[in-house]
Amino acid sequence: MEDKIVYSDIFRTAWKALMSQFWLLAGLFIGFTIIYSLLLIFAVPSKGTPISISGIIVSVLCVLLAYLFQLGYLRNCFQTLDGEEPQFSAYGQVSGKLFSFLAAHIIFVVITAIGTVLLIAPGIYLALRLQFFFASMVDENTGIVDSFKRSWKITKGYSLRLLILALIMALASFIGQIALFAGIFVAIPLILLMYGCAFRRLSSPSAT
């Protein structure tokens, strides 16, 4: 089996893509962070203030906005990997997947949580094998069930290498968080680009 998870290659590809569209990717992430933070101000009641209907509505909007941003931003990352300029229209294009992604994410969390309860290792294994349901939904327009099947298929035989890649991505996130916090606006798009790059490598015909 040809090894598609070459860490240095994935990192270099993701870094090159990030540098090609850094200001757009960082700007989109910063813009979302500002909007989301402002919405949270209205969603979280002040101390001693009862929860209102409007607060609940804003809280729900915050959750939906966060999921929509995840979908659209990953689409932007795939556009960047393809050598294209990230388009804001990507968020409208993936909006139809919002509730499917929400349901799929809940299923993913439940499955991995059950696996984690069963001595932790099964949860990690399931998370590694099923993680690309997200990428498949965005990049291949698959449904909930097919996205999990796709991820399970392409990750066969790559669990250990994907675990190491996950640790590398976690290290990048940690470095971004301690780099005066602003580094997170570099780390997050870099991690998503690495994730998208790994998915593309595993999805290639020679890898499956």
Side-chain angles (χ1 to χ4, degrees), residues 20 37 42 67 69 79 84 89 148 162:
S20 71
S37 299
F42 294 100
Y67 276 100
F69 179 76
Q79 290 173 333
E84 302 172 4
S89 59
F148 284 116
L162 287 172

Side-chain angles (χ1 to χ4, degrees), residues 29-49:
F29 189 35
I30 292 172
F32 164 75
T33 302
I34 293 173
I35 294 173
Y36 188 76
S37 299
L38 290 174
L39 283 175
L40 282 179
I41 293 175
F42 294 100
V44 179
S46 57
K47 188 175 181 180
T49 303

Side-chain angles (χ1 to χ4, degrees), residues 10-144:
I10 288 175
F11 180 83
R12 280 197 302 268
T13 300
W15 182 260
K16 182 178 179 180
L18 176 61
M19 291 300 99
S20 71
Q21 299 292 344
F22 174 73
W23 293 112
L24 268 174
L25 290 174
L28 286 167
F29 189 35
I30 292 172
F32 164 75
T33 302
I34 293 173
I35 294 173
Y36 188 76
S37 299
L38 290 174
L39 283 175
L40 282 179
I41 293 175
F42 294 100
V44 179
S46 57
K47 188 175 181 180
T49 303
I51 299 175
S52 63
I53 297 298
S54 60
I56 294 175
I57 292 175
V58 175
S59 296
V60 172
L61 288 175
C62 284
V63 172
L64 294 178
L65 177 63
Y67 276 100
L68 178 60
F69 179 76
Q70 291 179 60
L71 285 165
Y73 199 68
L74 183 58
R75 173 64 66 83
N76 287 153
C77 288
F78 278 124
Q79 290 173 333
T80 303
L81 287 170
D82 289 334
E84 302 172 4
E85 183 177 288
Q87 300 294 321
F88 189 72
S89 59
Y91 298 86
Q93 294 168 5
V94 299
S95 60
K97 286 283 184 181
L98 179 58
F99 292 101
S100 294
F101 174 54
L102 176 59
H105 186 256
I106 292 173
I107 293 172
F108 176 77
V109 170
V110 170
I111 291 175
T112 54
I114 292 174
T116 301
V117 171
L118 300 174
L119 302 178
I120 300 178
I124 296 174
Y125 176 76
L126 289 171
L128 292 171
R129 292 295 306 276
L130 298 174
Q131 63 174 306
F132 292 110
F133 81 92
F134 181 23
S136 182
M137 292 185 81
V138 173
D139 199 39
E140 300 177 332
N141 198 34
T142 53
I144 296 173

Side-chain angles (χ1 to χ4, degrees), residues 4 6 50-51 86 97 112-113 125 127 129 150 155 166 181 202:
K4 291 292 182 178
V6 180
I51 299 175
K97 286 283 184 181
T112 54
Y125 176 76
R129 292 295 306 276
R150 178 65 167 157
T155 56
F181 185 73
L202 291 171

